[in-house]
Amino acid sequence: MNQTPAKRTVRLAQMSFGDNLLAAWVGGSYARGTAKPTSDVDTVAILAEPDHDAECRFAEQFRDLHRAAGLKFDHVGEVFDLTTLRGLLDFTESCVAAVPAIQQSACYLADCPMSVFRKGDVVFKMLEEPKIFVHDPGMVVDELTARAVDYFQRWPMPRIQPHKNELSLPAGSRAAALAEAWSRRADTDDWVDTPVGVSLHRWFGPDLAVRAGAFNRQPPVTAAVGQPHACPRQVADGDLAELLSAQCLSVPTAVVAGGVR
């Protein structure tokens, strides 16, 4: 398998972020040795500080690299500043401890883009899996990898989501409207400001600390609700409704902080 496009993505991160780049590597199928000729490159870049302009330039060049090489493209990889990354990992651990049932919900099994937990789980997988072309001037890779290994030892989860691409969001719901808005922006200049783009501190940044407060107000919920492909928030009530809402990007932080009834 020709590794050149994958190696070039790490070089692109080095050129785009300079001294602000703490670490970068390629994971996914390239690192596992299972990439197909058109497989996309799963590249992780970790920054010392967020830099929206540099991240946007990286994202556009990352997409151009894929298209020029004839590779599949549907996201820019994972570009996080270290504070946001650690906050997302903290939140994900708190969420699964408070709502073990989320592992059986559409938030996870149907790969819901609104789910902070699902995003955190994806990132934990990328941290745990094999890595190639590792660039680690900040010496953070070993720490993050060890954390991911520990996470999956404590919270074993299926690696394949059986209802992926079958997610059902209620018509007219805020979640459905947000998903549609992101879809419309996929082929516009605004695509980089969605959760599949960059500047992820805006989606997974300081407000996660507010959302996590809900996890401390309730005992753990272990009973799943609803169908594994349908949004469980629409049929949950009481404790589960509040906890699921706390990890849902379609629910405003102010509503989460005040509780969901």
Side-chain angles (χ1 to χ4, degrees):
M1 179 62 61
N2 183 2
Q3 300 284 345
T4 300
K7 190 173 185 178
R8 286 177 61 197
T9 64
V10 173
R11 179 58 182 158
L12 176 61
Q14 293 175 259
M15 295 174 62
S16 298
F17 303 121
D19 292 342
N20 194 33
L21 183 67
L22 295 178
W25 68 85
V26 171
S29 60
Y30 283 87
R32 293 191 300 269
T34 59
K36 299 176 182 178
T38 58
S39 293
D40 62 334
V41 183
D42 293 312
T43 303
V44 179
I46 302 174
L47 311 181
E49 301 291 340
D51 184 339
H52 183 262
D53 290 343
E55 291 174 51
C56 287
R57 289 192 295 271
F58 171 78
E60 295 291 355
Q61 293 176 60
F62 186 88
R63 181 171 63 174
D64 290 346
L65 186 156
H66 274 69
R67 290 177 172 174
L71 306 179
K72 181 182 73 171
F73 178 83
D74 58 13
H75 66 92
V76 75
E78 305 294 345
V79 182
F80 280 107
D81 66 276
L82 187 58
T83 298
T84 298
L85 174 59
R86 286 174 171 158
L88 175 62
L89 301 182
D90 289 344
F91 182 93
T92 305
E93 291 171 330
S94 297
C95 182
V96 72
V99 201
I102 200 169
Q103 296 181 41
Q104 285 78 51
S105 75
C107 305
Y108 178 73
L109 294 177
D111 204 32
C112 178
M114 309 299 152
S115 173
V116 181
F117 170 77
R118 163 259 180 197
K119 179 66 175 183
D121 181 76
V122 167
V123 173
F124 266 123
K125 288 174 182 173
M126 295 187 74
L127 294 175
E128 188 223 22
E129 290 183 339
K131 304 170 182 64
I132 56 174
F133 308 128
V134 176
H135 174 71
D136 188 23
M139 300 181 68
V140 298
V141 172
D142 286 349
E143 166 213 331
L144 294 170
T145 301
R147 182 171 182 177
V149 170
D150 179 69
Y151 173 81
F152 287 112
Q153 287 176 343
R154 288 184 292 130
W155 302 103
M157 296 183 208
R159 293 309 181 91
I160 297 176
Q161 289 130 313
H163 298 279
K164 191 170 184 175
N165 299 322
E166 298 176 3
L167 176 67
S168 174
L169 297 173
S173 68
R174 183 182 174 93
L178 192 55
E180 176 59 27
W182 288 340
S183 178
R184 289 197 303 269
R185 291 163 62 177
D187 293 318
T188 73
D189 290 341
D190 292 332
W191 76 275
V192 294
D193 287 325
T194 70
V196 300
V198 294
S199 299
L200 296 179
H201 62 283
R202 294 176 312 114
W203 298 103
F204 308 106
D207 76 316
L208 290 195
V210 178
R211 292 176 178 272
F215 301 145
N216 300 322
R217 297 196 294 265
Q218 308 289 356
V221 176
T222 58
V225 174
Q227 299 297 316
H229 69 279
C231 178
R233 287 188 55 246
Q234 308 307 310
V235 293
D237 56 18
D239 294 350
L240 182 57
E242 180 170 0
L243 296 175
L244 289 176
S245 295
Q247 65 87 47
C248 183
L249 288 177
S250 70
V251 179
T253 309
V255 174
V256 172
V260 178
R261 298 286 182 259

